[in-house]
Amino acid sequence: MTGTVYLVGAGPGDPGLLTLRAAELIARADVLVYDALVSPAILERATAPRRIYVGKRGGEHSRTQDEINDVLVELAREHRCVVRLKGGDPFVFGRGGEEALILARAGVPFEVVPGVTAGIAAPAYAGIPVTQRGMAASVAFVTGHEDPTKADTDVDWAHLARGVGTVVFYMGVGRMAENFRRLVEAGRAPDTPAAAIEWGTYPRQRTVTGTLATLPDVAREAGIGAPSLIVVGEVASLREQLAWWDRRPLSGKRIVVTRARAQASEFAAALEALGAETVQFPTVRIVPPADPEPLRRAAAGAGSFHWIVFTSANGVQHFWAALDEGGGDARSLAGVRVCAIGPATAAALKERGVRADLVPGEFVGEAAAEALLAAGPVVGLRILLPRADLARAAVPDRLRAAGADVVEVEAYRTVQDGAGADAVRRMLERGEVDAVTFTAASTVRSFVQLVGAGTGGALVASIGPVTSAAAREAGLQVDIEAAEYTIPGLLAAIRERLGNQSGTA
């Protein structure tokens, strides 16, 4: 039986431009064959047990096109769903047509899933419409580097120069000066506006503008490299008015997120929405307790406590898992008062049908203890604290000193993760990071153990005083601290300190 090969366009880079059909196929592929310009954020969506890289960058090919063709035919004989994932659109300078012909001749079923091509998306993100009433009624997509071994060119330079409103060169930064010279010689005015867009639709996107006469020098001085797209035409002059992608508050900033992988996505997405490029470096993982029995007993006996104090959403999640395992639910907490440290913890409880009776004004353990004491005498009260293995003793010590019977139970553990530590260390050493974020003391300790205390000039951003104290103790200088000890508070503090209009040109 022969499987189906899906020639799928991954779009230009921004995962938000992925089509629904492409996302569906990426998620269910048996094997993924992908190119160099497929965004890592898109590859993270894949669950395929087998992945084959066939990228081509800077003249270096991991495999020849003939070899790629053979691989696709062979894989179709072994798997039901083969996804050939290409940057942009498979039929726009993606050699998808060649691969489709080979598959057709070999009798292999195939489907084509178009993708958003960079020739439209990258200019749009740079604030350049490729067509515009009164400026450009036509657009041509042109390869920026024809095969140098060919005797003749397939490009009609005279027509491009005089008969097309906007010319978009793919992969043309290396031959920009030569291509511009041909356009001018064929009749295009040297003062025609032009733009070079590097890493289009990625957070690191950069755009420089000029004219046919000046842009090659401007791009060289700015260090614009591949992958880049070149736009020639009057529409390039609209960038100054329409630029938006690289004028967001955190555009051009690279920020390391050290939060545990399961929790990092929302924070990273919020930073990226403000324009930042995030490097997800989870220094810790959240795992169940080494011995789950004490948590099970505590959950089973939840009704015997006067108060349960949840210090984090993780504590809620793991306590509820133990509660569910024992056949309990929110009704098991009937008559029990609940304290939640922070709005995220309170929200996690509310999702499970429990409204917190007490949420301290400050989101730290000491404030929780004082709030409990202010709520009434605790002498003789049984108080349960399901929390992390490395949690501080401030809360139970204060409550015990006031006469409470405090039961501490390990709800989860934080263990060191650190995949990618070498890459993060190199970025820091090269001064390529603007900020490193910490959302818990455990992330600080693991970061320093994995990477060291040198940040290469990157600012240290902390979610609150407890985390800041751990950072200072580890030898880090804290530059940013959230006024409200939450992820939104940390986001606001980073925006206030780093927010700028960088990236414009």
Side-chain angles (χ1 to χ4, degrees), residues 141 287 336:
F141 300 127
V287 299
V336 181

Side-chain angles (χ1 to χ4, degrees), residues 28 233 386 415 451 484:
R28 70 177 178 89
V415 299
V451 175
E484 179 184 273

Side-chain angles (χ1 to χ4, degrees), residues 285-291 318 387-389 410-415:
R285 286 183 294 115
I286 306 300
V287 299
D291 179 7
H318 286 270
R387 53 198 203 135
D389 57 331
E410 182 181 296
Y412 61 95
R413 292 178 295 139
T414 55
V415 299

